[in-house]
Amino acid sequence: MLQETAQDLSVDAPTWPETFRARYVREGFWQAETFSGMLDRIADRHAGKTALIESGRHVTYEDLRRRAGALAAGLRRLGLQKGDRAVVQMPNGVAFVEVVFALLRLGVVPVLALPSHRHIEIGRFLDFTEARAYFIADRAGGFDYRALARELLPGLPALRHVIVDGEAEAFTALSGLVEDAGIDDAAQPEDVAVFQISGGTTGVPKLIPRRHNEYLYNIRTAAAASGMAEDTVYLCALPVAHNFPFACPGIMGTFVSGGTVVIAPDPDPRTAFALIEAHGVTITSLVPPLALLWMEAAGAPDADISSLRTLQVGGAKLSEEAARRVRPRLGCGLQQVFGMAEGLICYTGLDDDEETIVTTQGRPMSPADEIRVVDAEGRDVAPGEPGELLTRGPYTIRGYYKIPEHNEKAFTPDGFYRTGDIVRLTPAGYLVLSGREKDQINRGGEKLSPEEVENLLLAHGDVHDAAVVGLPDETLGERICAFVIPRTGGLKPLALIRHLKARGLAAFKMPDQFVFIERFPETGVGKVSKKDLRERLKQLHLSAGLDNGD
Ligand code: OOB
């Protein structure tokens, strides 16, 4: 039989130099396994065990393996083949997991989009990867994804199939694609398995190629660091496609451990607490604003969440004060997680002392993770001093997909990823996040590039200039403020909100606040000084407070 066409993403998806590859294989970090191989292995061992629970429906490991294989066969019949790309934008549910495993078996690379992405992001992913298929649910969270697909289709000649879970209308129904028999695994361990999505510092989000062998290493190591085992019951409350609930250790970490995943449709504490009680959930992961919300809601007489042993919090900084409240309020241990879709994951240890757990963001999970903390000139700072975190290792990418010019800036010549995060190291080797160097806003764990929003604002005829900044916010960590120099006197925030929505901006990137201003403060070299803008707003608030003056 002819060999399947090899995946040819080698130029576009940079990989590790041979010396590193050899070392990571030799030292046992990378194993010759694919995602499908992993699922087969676990299903052989735990065939009748529940892998997934969604609204009371139990799916065993054997079911999951069979369904994914049968769907892979249907997708192959449709014409999808190894090396193709597909954008997957589905809500939390069993269907998402089946689709992803099916694509992984076929060797089709899913772009793991979030349900909150809209025209701009999805259009970009489909276009940039020349995706052949787009997987959606009919409706979710009050949004009709078929309408989005209809809008996007005309501009995308490579897109052949829109595959819908639910009412497909003129598109292809997911339910009609399941064949009687499965197919062989077409993937190789060094192939790109999925594209994760970066928060983005310039323009639009970038695509992160994650390979079977290194991503599985990431998943196994994360599962071990989180104490996952066969008795683990993981609640997936965050959007499942994100690297944190997907692989750190999240659903995939639960699968490699032979545990059970409970899928929550949303992270609301009422929904989540009921699921925790019903299924004896032992571990879950949240972003800080949700952890705050859960702590507020806990203690209600009808919520028994005593099965919960570990709450992982990451994605944005959890304040020390909030961290201290986790155990007393929720009755479980806290594990801080500092990670990034590009790779590096840090955890506080389950047995660490309370001070370490509440005051640090953990330490790198792999003995092969290399980290440097450097000053503006790229020199190592003195121990304990703050600086930018650089990292390299067996699961940290060596470059984004198809953007060589950007990769030159985002990585050092010797392959360290410039995280843009400002950290200091404690004597015990734990990281404490103290700020950010990159031009990015982190709104409660959801990342956006100010530049992207600025460019859209500038496309409005009544906007002369725009500068978007993050402002401190007690719940979200940061909220989004757009400073706008209008061309005309009558410009209102509502008009700008409508404009941004019409352009297809995702809701989480919408400015929380607009401030109209005559001119921007400038830095010494004539650039807009975002620092002064933030300062000015603080002053405005102070004087507004004084004006109210009671
Ligand atoms: C996770 O991944 P991304 O790719 O959405 O965002 C990464 C960035 C980091 O560079 C850092 O700026 C920020 O998010 N971040 C944190 C943090 N965890 C992530 N900042 C402060 N404290 C933390 N604990 O956000 C992500 C990926 C895997 C696991 C967990 C989070």
Side-chain angles (χ1 to χ4, degrees):
M1 206 180 97
L2 274 177
Q3 181 86 24
E4 294 264 1
T5 26
Q7 211 189 20
D8 192 17
L9 299 172
S10 45
V11 189
D12 294 330
T15 188
W16 288 257
E18 190 45 44
T19 46
F20 285 85
R21 286 163 64 183
R23 178 186 156 208
Y24 294 151
V25 169
R26 191 176 60 240
E27 296 185 10
F29 302 122
W30 291 358
Q31 296 177 5
E33 190 166 63
T34 61
F35 274 85
S36 270
M38 178 273 282
L39 182 59
D40 284 344
R41 185 168 52 80
I42 304 296
D44 282 344
R45 191 146 155 217
H46 300 283
K49 186 168 176 194
T50 300
L52 277 163
I53 303 174
E54 180 194 0
S55 25
R57 175 181 155 211
H58 289 238
V59 178
T60 65
Y61 276 100
E62 186 51 45
D63 290 341
L64 181 58
R65 162 171 49 189
R66 197 174 27 77
R67 294 269 308 177
L71 182 56
L75 293 171
R76 187 170 66 181
R77 183 192 284 271
L78 211 55
L80 293 184
Q81 55 178 337
K82 180 165 176 168
D84 285 346
R85 277 80 57 194
V87 173
V88 177
Q89 186 185 29
M90 297 174 74
N92 283 11
V94 170
F96 169 90
V97 181
E98 289 175 349
V99 165
V100 168
F101 271 117
L103 293 171
L104 286 164
R105 192 162 183 96
L106 250 184
V108 174
V109 187
V111 180
L112 298 179
L114 298 173
S116 56
H117 285 138
R118 289 294 175 265
H119 199 117
I120 292 183
E121 295 87 9
I122 301 296
R124 159 92 180 174
F125 302 152
L126 288 167
D127 182 38
F128 191 64
T129 64
E130 297 170 77
R132 282 190 164 250
Y134 175 32
F135 290 81
I136 53 175
D138 47 4
R139 302 180 64 87
F143 184 76
D144 189 334
Y145 289 89
R146 294 160 303 189
L148 180 57
R150 273 195 299 275
E151 264 174 54
L152 288 165
L153 255 177
L156 298 161
L159 182 59
R160 296 288 155 74
H161 309 284
V162 174
I163 298 166
V164 185
D165 181 29
E167 199 49 63
E169 294 178 348
F171 299 127
T172 307
L174 182 67
S175 57
L177 291 173
V178 183
E179 305 265 305
D180 291 335
I183 59 164
D184 289 341
D185 183 11
Q188 299 291 327
E190 290 212 11
D191 287 346
V192 175
V194 304
F195 283 116
Q196 271 293 352
I197 287 155
S198 86
T201 47
T202 52
V204 279
K206 295 169 186 57
L207 297 175
I208 299 170
R210 300 298 305 255
R211 292 167 196 270
H212 288 264
N213 54 358
E214 58 86 9
Y215 210 18
L216 282 167
Y217 171 62
N218 175 135
I219 290 162
R220 285 193 309 270
T221 314
S226 313
M228 282 190 164
E230 286 175 18
D231 64 350
T232 291
V233 183
Y234 172 76
L235 180 75
C236 179
L238 292 171
V240 57
H242 187 273
N243 187 40
F244 187 14
F246 186 77
C248 302
I251 64 162
M252 289 294 176
T254 309
F255 296 148
V256 299
S257 310
T260 298
V261 170
V262 178
I263 302 197
D266 63 72
D268 186 281
R270 276 165 304 191
T271 315
F273 290 179
L275 291 171
I276 293 172
E277 184 172 353
H279 304 295
V281 168
T282 58
I283 178 170
T284 189
S285 43
L286 294 177
V287 289
L290 286 172
L292 296 179
L293 201 64
W294 282 32
M295 287 196 275
E296 286 301 313
D302 54 342
D304 176 5
I305 55 168
S306 57
S307 61
L308 197 62
R309 290 181 222 145
T310 308
L311 174 66
Q312 301 186 312
V313 182
K317 180 135 179 202
L318 181 67
S319 72
E320 183 183 328
E321 182 268 332
R324 285 193 193 281
R325 277 188 290 146
V326 169
R327 188 177 283 286
R329 295 289 303 171
L330 297 172
C332 63
L334 167 68
Q335 185 170 36
Q336 295 216 37
V337 189
F338 161 62
M340 55 206 69
E342 287 81 357
L344 181 72
I345 310 290
C346 303
Y347 289 103
T348 54
L350 298 173
D351 299 326
D352 281 346
D353 61 276
E354 186 76 4
E355 280 315 290
T356 302
I357 292 174
V358 300
T359 61
T360 80
Q361 279 64 57
R363 60 178 167 182
M365 68 174 180
S366 165
D369 281 321
E370 299 174 68
I371 57 174
R372 290 180 60 199
V373 183
V374 302
D375 65 17
E377 277 74 51
R379 290 176 304 225
D380 291 293
V381 299
E385 290 298 312
E388 187 190 0
L389 174 69
L390 311 185
T391 185
R392 165 173 98 168
Y395 61 99
T396 295
I397 57 157
R398 292 302 186 108
Y400 295 100
Y401 180 61
K402 234 160 89 173
I403 38 169
E405 345 61 62
H406 180 76
N407 286 337
E408 296 236 329
K409 289 179 258 160
F411 296 81
T412 65
D414 56 352
F416 279 82
Y417 168 57
R418 301 180 203 271
T419 66
D421 291 310
I422 305 294
V423 305
R424 67 180 173 79
L425 274 178
T426 69
Y430 285 71
L431 276 70
V432 178
L433 270 281
S434 61
R436 197 170 49 229
E437 226 243 349
K438 54 192 167 190
D439 194 16
Q440 184 178 75
I441 298 175
N442 186 338
R443 185 180 188 274
E446 295 187 297
K447 325 295 186 316
L448 60 130
S449 144
E451 188 186 318
E452 181 184 357
V453 185
E454 286 161 6
N455 288 340
L456 288 176
L457 284 169
L458 286 170
H460 189 285
D462 292 338
V463 171
H464 170 69
D465 207 351
V468 172
V469 301
L471 297 176
D473 183 278
E474 215 164 275
T475 314
L476 293 168
E478 274 181 286
R479 64 177 192 278
I480 309 166
C481 178
F483 288 88
V484 172
I485 304 179
R487 280 191 211 283
T488 57
L491 188 59
K492 293 275 184 312
L494 194 59
L496 294 176
I497 291 174
R498 286 213 183 103
H499 162 79
L500 292 174
K501 255 197 194 149
R503 293 260 160 170
L505 186 73
F508 71 87
K509 298 181 181 175
M510 191 60 77
D512 298 286
Q513 186 178 2
F514 289 88
V515 176
F516 294 102
I517 192 170
E518 266 173 36
R519 54 190 299 258
F520 293 145
E522 288 177 0
T523 64
V525 290
K527 289 204 292 186
V528 177
S529 167
K530 293 199 167 174
K531 194 164 147 243
D532 287 344
L533 277 175
R534 280 190 209 98
E535 203 45 44
R536 188 166 297 188
L537 199 73
K538 227 195 265 167
Q539 296 304 328
L540 272 174
H541 277 240
L542 283 179
S543 58
L546 289 177
D547 285 345
N548 286 342
D550 34 55

